[in-house]
Amino acid sequence: RAPLLRVGLIKVSANNHILLFDMHHIISDGVSMRILSQDLAVLYAGIPWKHEKIRITYKDFAAWQNAFLRSGQADRQENYWTGRFSGELPVLNMPFDYQRPSLQNFTGERIPFDIPLPLIASMERLTSHTGATLYMVMLAVFNVLLFKYTGQEDIIIGTPIAARRHADIENVIGMLVNTLPIRTMPRAQETVAQFINQVKQDTLAAYENQEYQFEELVDKIELERDISRNPVFDVMFNLSNHLEELKRYIPNASNEKQYHRYMNVTSKFDLNLNAVEYGEQLYFNLEYCTKLFRPETIERFIGYFKRILFTVPRYPEVKISRIEILGDEEKKKVISEFNDNAEDYPNNKTIHEIYEEQVEQTPDSIAVIHELNYLTYKELNEKANRLARVLRSDGVTVDSIVGVIMQRSTEMIVGIFAILKSGGAYLPISPELPGKRISYMLKDSEANIIVADAAPGEAMEFSGNVILINSQELRLPESTNLKNINKGADLAYVIYTSGSTGIPKGALIGHRNVVAYVYTSREYYRLTPGDTRTQQSSFSFDQFVEEVYLILFEGGKLLILHKYDVQDIEELIDILEKYRVTLFSAPPPVMKEVNKYPLAP
């Protein structure tokens, strides 16, 4: 088996040598290396070594740890961590240069960098102003940068903790370190000072519960394992001063960049930002997975980190949303090169206005097909107009949110267009969702009207008005277009995401956003009235927008598939051939199977 400790001495020149230690993590941690480095530095400097006999050893710590796990204190700490990480955990969605490997890869590289002394001094003044430590401020800055990259307001960053709160184990060499997942929630409208205070409170709470092992937490929480990434978090941050003693006794050994030249080139995480204090100086190295990021991407990341570091001490009361990470040259490039994609579109027209214009052109053409049912453009428009009048009489107006709880059908499309025509915005809700989740979304969105194809179940709490799509009142004779009361900037629909904290969050989308997207997409797809497009995604996802409006704005046919149709490839092929489908989208595994069958022209 491989040795737990290997020591080597490399002669570089007559007066220069490199001392190398290769130690297994099972017998040492960062603090252990500091203890060892300090003792070596003292001996190297020729200082008499007054080594006292160690009263406490690592086996004593192990015994304490086992006793802790059987104590009530362990239960209290477990309650803290399991409560903090209950529900759905956020996954950091960083923009990668490469697709994440299906099996986690640890090939990595690191880029060292530092910051000027005046900036360090201003950071120290900020710590005094906020009452936070330098570690807390740096962690807050790192969180802000990740927020800027992802837009996520719930972020988990791992950090190592020495776990040496007892004075008797401060000088024990061994594997004592623990990992703390620090969960923070940067808000766009929050000031830097407010966020630093939040990070301070979150960090202090984690420190108070630092003895509870991270591995225990992973086993306790309901976590869907993914072999392509680490559990709980993908990013680490650490601030240490474990080489300070080398600077005191061996001035020439205090070069942080030299120190990191000889470290292993691996990356246990997607990103791992390490900061090391050397007296009044602060050095960094950013370790990254080379299977995910290019070096130039990480260089830009470091530049943005520095820019935030310059901004935060000068403007602690600035809102996080107002912090700029792009330099002037990058802004010019974004505006002049990357954003040169202007496309003419009717930016003040609504979705239903454009559909009504298409009705005038192709009134008798089939618009929507589902199983044995179909509606022409005129029939769909008239049915939607009737329902829209009922909705308006019930108080629906501009930006009113109306829930839609329906199975896939032609009537589902009728309900959506009716809500838009009435002036409101639709909230798509799958009938298969749990009653509590549906109740939450309706309450949170303040929707007081539902359009449904069946009476709501008892598990759903709703005191508003429920309109059944096939009720008698929707057979009124008045079926002409209503007077439009919307503008392009008005709300069109609300989609609730799963929520990074386990609580659903509503995304608000306006008519102008949909129209702009469809008009841009039509140049790519170039559909005609002779095309047939499938609709198979849930109407609770944004892909539904592309599937429905793009084809209906062009006068083509929308074929609504049953969710089980995609699961039976042979049945799916029959459907695609029967209806002469010209545009079908699906996940790669499904598309791979479809491509095995030569479709008839």
mmCIF file of all heavy atoms in Angstrom, residues 532-550:
data_model
loop_
_atom_site.group_PDB
_atom_site.id
_atom_site.type_symbol
_atom_site.label_atom_id
_atom_site.label_comp_id
_atom_site.label_asym_id
_atom_site.label_seq_id
_atom_site.Cartn_x
_atom_site.Cartn_y
_atom_site.Cartn_z
ATOM 1 N N THR A 532 -47.035 21.368 -39.938
ATOM 2 C CA THR A 532 -47.692 20.838 -38.733
ATOM 3 C C THR A 532 -46.638 20.674 -37.646
ATOM 4 O O THR A 532 -45.598 20.040 -37.888
ATOM 5 C CB THR A 532 -48.355 19.482 -39.002
ATOM 6 O OG1 THR A 532 -49.355 19.654 -40.020
ATOM 7 C CG2 THR A 532 -49.009 18.938 -37.738
ATOM 8 N N ARG A 533 -46.918 21.222 -36.514
ATOM 9 C CA ARG A 533 -45.966 21.168 -35.398
ATOM 10 C C ARG A 533 -46.577 20.405 -34.235
ATOM 11 O O ARG A 533 -47.761 20.551 -33.917
ATOM 12 C CB ARG A 533 -45.619 22.578 -34.957
ATOM 13 C CG ARG A 533 -45.052 22.630 -33.548
ATOM 14 C CD ARG A 533 -43.806 23.397 -33.466
ATOM 15 N NE ARG A 533 -42.951 22.894 -32.391
ATOM 16 C CZ ARG A 533 -41.891 23.504 -31.951
ATOM 17 N NH1 ARG A 533 -41.530 24.637 -32.495
ATOM 18 N NH2 ARG A 533 -41.148 23.006 -31.010
ATOM 19 N N THR A 534 -45.767 19.581 -33.565
ATOM 20 C CA THR A 534 -46.255 18.863 -32.390
ATOM 21 C C THR A 534 -46.140 19.726 -31.139
ATOM 22 O O THR A 534 -45.279 20.596 -31.045
ATOM 23 C CB THR A 534 -45.452 17.571 -32.158
ATOM 24 O OG1 THR A 534 -44.068 17.902 -32.018
ATOM 25 C CG2 THR A 534 -45.658 16.593 -33.280
ATOM 26 N N GLN A 535 -47.040 19.455 -30.201
ATOM 27 C CA GLN A 535 -46.980 20.094 -28.881
ATOM 28 C C GLN A 535 -47.007 18.971 -27.862
ATOM 29 O O GLN A 535 -48.019 18.301 -27.689
ATOM 30 C CB GLN A 535 -48.168 21.043 -28.684
ATOM 31 C CG GLN A 535 -48.044 21.984 -27.486
ATOM 32 C CD GLN A 535 -48.252 21.301 -26.147
ATOM 33 O OE1 GLN A 535 -49.309 20.716 -25.913
ATOM 34 N NE2 GLN A 535 -47.256 21.354 -25.280
ATOM 35 N N GLN A 536 -45.848 18.759 -27.186
ATOM 36 C CA GLN A 536 -45.802 17.665 -26.230
ATOM 37 C C GLN A 536 -45.262 18.060 -24.861
ATOM 38 O O GLN A 536 -45.356 17.291 -23.915
ATOM 39 C CB GLN A 536 -44.954 16.501 -26.774
ATOM 40 C CG GLN A 536 -43.475 16.801 -26.919
ATOM 41 C CD GLN A 536 -43.098 17.222 -28.315
ATOM 42 O OE1 GLN A 536 -43.946 17.663 -29.092
ATOM 43 N NE2 GLN A 536 -41.831 17.091 -28.652
ATOM 44 N N SER A 537 -44.713 19.263 -24.713
ATOM 45 C CA SER A 537 -44.206 19.667 -23.401
ATOM 46 C C SER A 537 -45.356 20.130 -22.517
ATOM 47 O O SER A 537 -46.425 20.516 -22.998
ATOM 48 C CB SER A 537 -43.178 20.788 -23.550
ATOM 49 O OG SER A 537 -43.806 21.957 -24.034
ATOM 50 N N SER A 538 -45.123 20.092 -21.215
ATOM 51 C CA SER A 538 -46.124 20.595 -20.274
ATOM 52 C C SER A 538 -46.316 22.088 -20.487
ATOM 53 O O SER A 538 -45.364 22.816 -20.776
ATOM 54 C CB SER A 538 -45.656 20.333 -18.836
ATOM 55 O OG SER A 538 -46.450 21.066 -17.918
ATOM 56 N N PHE A 539 -47.561 22.557 -20.365
ATOM 57 C CA PHE A 539 -47.774 23.992 -20.560
ATOM 58 C C PHE A 539 -47.250 24.801 -19.379
ATOM 59 O O PHE A 539 -47.344 26.023 -19.372
ATOM 60 C CB PHE A 539 -49.230 24.314 -20.892
ATOM 61 C CG PHE A 539 -50.232 24.162 -19.753
ATOM 62 C CD1 PHE A 539 -51.477 24.785 -19.829
ATOM 63 C CD2 PHE A 539 -49.959 23.414 -18.625
ATOM 64 C CE1 PHE A 539 -52.407 24.655 -18.809
ATOM 65 C CE2 PHE A 539 -50.882 23.277 -17.596
ATOM 66 C CZ PHE A 539 -52.107 23.891 -17.687
ATOM 67 N N SER A 540 -46.666 24.123 -18.388
ATOM 68 C CA SER A 540 -46.030 24.806 -17.271
ATOM 69 C C SER A 540 -44.563 25.109 -17.538
ATOM 70 O O SER A 540 -43.866 25.602 -16.653
ATOM 71 C CB SER A 540 -46.136 23.951 -15.997
ATOM 72 O OG SER A 540 -47.481 23.769 -15.632
ATOM 73 N N PHE A 541 -44.096 24.802 -18.763
ATOM 74 C CA PHE A 541 -42.715 25.092 -19.141
ATOM 75 C C PHE A 541 -42.690 26.082 -20.295
ATOM 76 O O PHE A 541 -43.610 26.134 -21.117
ATOM 77 C CB PHE A 541 -41.976 23.817 -19.541
ATOM 78 C CG PHE A 541 -41.764 22.856 -18.409
ATOM 79 C CD1 PHE A 541 -42.513 21.690 -18.324
ATOM 80 C CD2 PHE A 541 -40.838 23.115 -17.418
ATOM 81 C CE1 PHE A 541 -42.332 20.803 -17.286
ATOM 82 C CE2 PHE A 541 -40.651 22.234 -16.367
ATOM 83 C CZ PHE A 541 -41.394 21.078 -16.289
ATOM 84 N N ASP A 542 -41.588 26.832 -20.388
ATOM 85 C CA ASP A 542 -41.476 27.856 -21.424
ATOM 86 C C ASP A 542 -41.445 27.279 -22.829
ATOM 87 O O ASP A 542 -41.773 27.978 -23.788
ATOM 88 C CB ASP A 542 -40.212 28.705 -21.187
ATOM 89 C CG ASP A 542 -40.470 29.840 -20.197
ATOM 90 O OD1 ASP A 542 -41.494 30.526 -20.360
ATOM 91 O OD2 ASP A 542 -39.672 30.033 -19.276
ATOM 92 N N GLN A 543 -41.039 26.018 -22.980
ATOM 93 C CA GLN A 543 -41.008 25.425 -24.319
ATOM 94 C C GLN A 543 -42.404 25.409 -24.939
ATOM 95 O O GLN A 543 -42.541 25.448 -26.169
ATOM 96 C CB GLN A 543 -40.444 24.008 -24.258
ATOM 97 C CG GLN A 543 -40.252 23.381 -25.641
ATOM 98 C CD GLN A 543 -39.719 21.973 -25.566
ATOM 99 O OE1 GLN A 543 -39.262 21.527 -24.520
ATOM 100 N NE2 GLN A 543 -39.773 21.255 -26.674
ATOM 101 N N PHE A 544 -43.427 25.378 -24.104
ATOM 102 C CA PHE A 544 -44.810 25.400 -24.584
ATOM 103 C C PHE A 544 -45.051 26.640 -25.446
ATOM 104 O O PHE A 544 -45.765 26.577 -26.453
ATOM 105 C CB PHE A 544 -45.745 25.399 -23.373
ATOM 106 C CG PHE A 544 -47.200 25.520 -23.705
ATOM 107 C CD1 PHE A 544 -47.953 24.417 -24.059
ATOM 108 C CD2 PHE A 544 -47.835 26.760 -23.648
ATOM 109 C CE1 PHE A 544 -49.304 24.534 -24.360
ATOM 110 C CE2 PHE A 544 -49.183 26.893 -23.943
ATOM 111 C CZ PHE A 544 -49.921 25.778 -24.304
ATOM 112 N N VAL A 545 -44.473 27.762 -25.058
ATOM 113 C CA VAL A 545 -44.652 29.021 -25.788
ATOM 114 C C VAL A 545 -44.147 28.878 -27.216
ATOM 115 O O VAL A 545 -44.810 29.284 -28.175
ATOM 116 C CB VAL A 545 -43.916 30.164 -25.058
ATOM 117 C CG1 VAL A 545 -43.900 31.431 -25.899
ATOM 118 C CG2 VAL A 545 -44.574 30.440 -23.718
ATOM 119 N N GLU A 546 -42.956 28.296 -27.366
ATOM 120 C CA GLU A 546 -42.388 28.121 -28.697
ATOM 121 C C GLU A 546 -43.236 27.157 -29.530
ATOM 122 O O GLU A 546 -43.469 27.373 -30.722
ATOM 123 C CB GLU A 546 -40.960 27.596 -28.591
ATOM 124 C CG GLU A 546 -40.291 27.359 -29.941
ATOM 125 C CD GLU A 546 -38.952 26.675 -29.782
ATOM 126 O OE1 GLU A 546 -37.984 27.356 -29.414
ATOM 127 O OE2 GLU A 546 -38.891 25.447 -30.013
ATOM 128 N N GLU A 547 -43.715 26.093 -28.893
ATOM 129 C CA GLU A 547 -44.478 25.083 -29.615
ATOM 130 C C GLU A 547 -45.803 25.631 -30.131
ATOM 131 O O GLU A 547 -46.226 25.302 -31.243
ATOM 132 C CB GLU A 547 -44.739 23.881 -28.703
ATOM 133 C CG GLU A 547 -43.507 23.079 -28.365
ATOM 134 C CD GLU A 547 -43.786 21.978 -27.358
ATOM 135 O OE1 GLU A 547 -44.813 22.076 -26.639
ATOM 136 O OE2 GLU A 547 -42.998 21.031 -27.278
ATOM 137 N N VAL A 548 -46.477 26.472 -29.351
ATOM 138 C CA VAL A 548 -47.841 26.906 -29.677
ATOM 139 C C VAL A 548 -47.867 28.146 -30.561
ATOM 140 O O VAL A 548 -48.435 28.137 -31.666
ATOM 141 C CB VAL A 548 -48.645 27.159 -28.382
ATOM 142 C CG1 VAL A 548 -49.997 27.780 -28.707
ATOM 143 C CG2 VAL A 548 -48.817 25.857 -27.615
ATOM 144 N N TYR A 549 -47.261 29.228 -30.091
ATOM 145 C CA TYR A 549 -47.453 30.510 -30.772
ATOM 146 C C TYR A 549 -46.733 30.594 -32.104
ATOM 147 O O TYR A 549 -47.229 31.226 -33.048
ATOM 148 C CB TYR A 549 -47.024 31.656 -29.857
ATOM 149 C CG TYR A 549 -47.817 31.694 -28.574
ATOM 150 C CD1 TYR A 549 -47.188 31.627 -27.328
ATOM 151 C CD2 TYR A 549 -49.207 31.773 -28.600
ATOM 152 C CE1 TYR A 549 -47.924 31.645 -26.155
ATOM 153 C CE2 TYR A 549 -49.940 31.780 -27.429
ATOM 154 C CZ TYR A 549 -49.297 31.717 -26.208
ATOM 155 O OH TYR A 549 -50.027 31.721 -25.050
ATOM 156 N N LEU A 550 -45.577 29.944 -32.242
ATOM 157 C CA LEU A 550 -44.825 30.028 -33.489
ATOM 158 C C LEU A 550 -45.633 29.472 -34.658
ATOM 159 O O LEU A 550 -45.721 30.097 -35.719
ATOM 160 C CB LEU A 550 -43.506 29.271 -33.335
ATOM 161 C CG LEU A 550 -42.555 29.302 -34.530
ATOM 162 C CD1 LEU A 550 -42.177 30.730 -34.879
ATOM 163 C CD2 LEU A 550 -41.314 28.484 -34.237
#
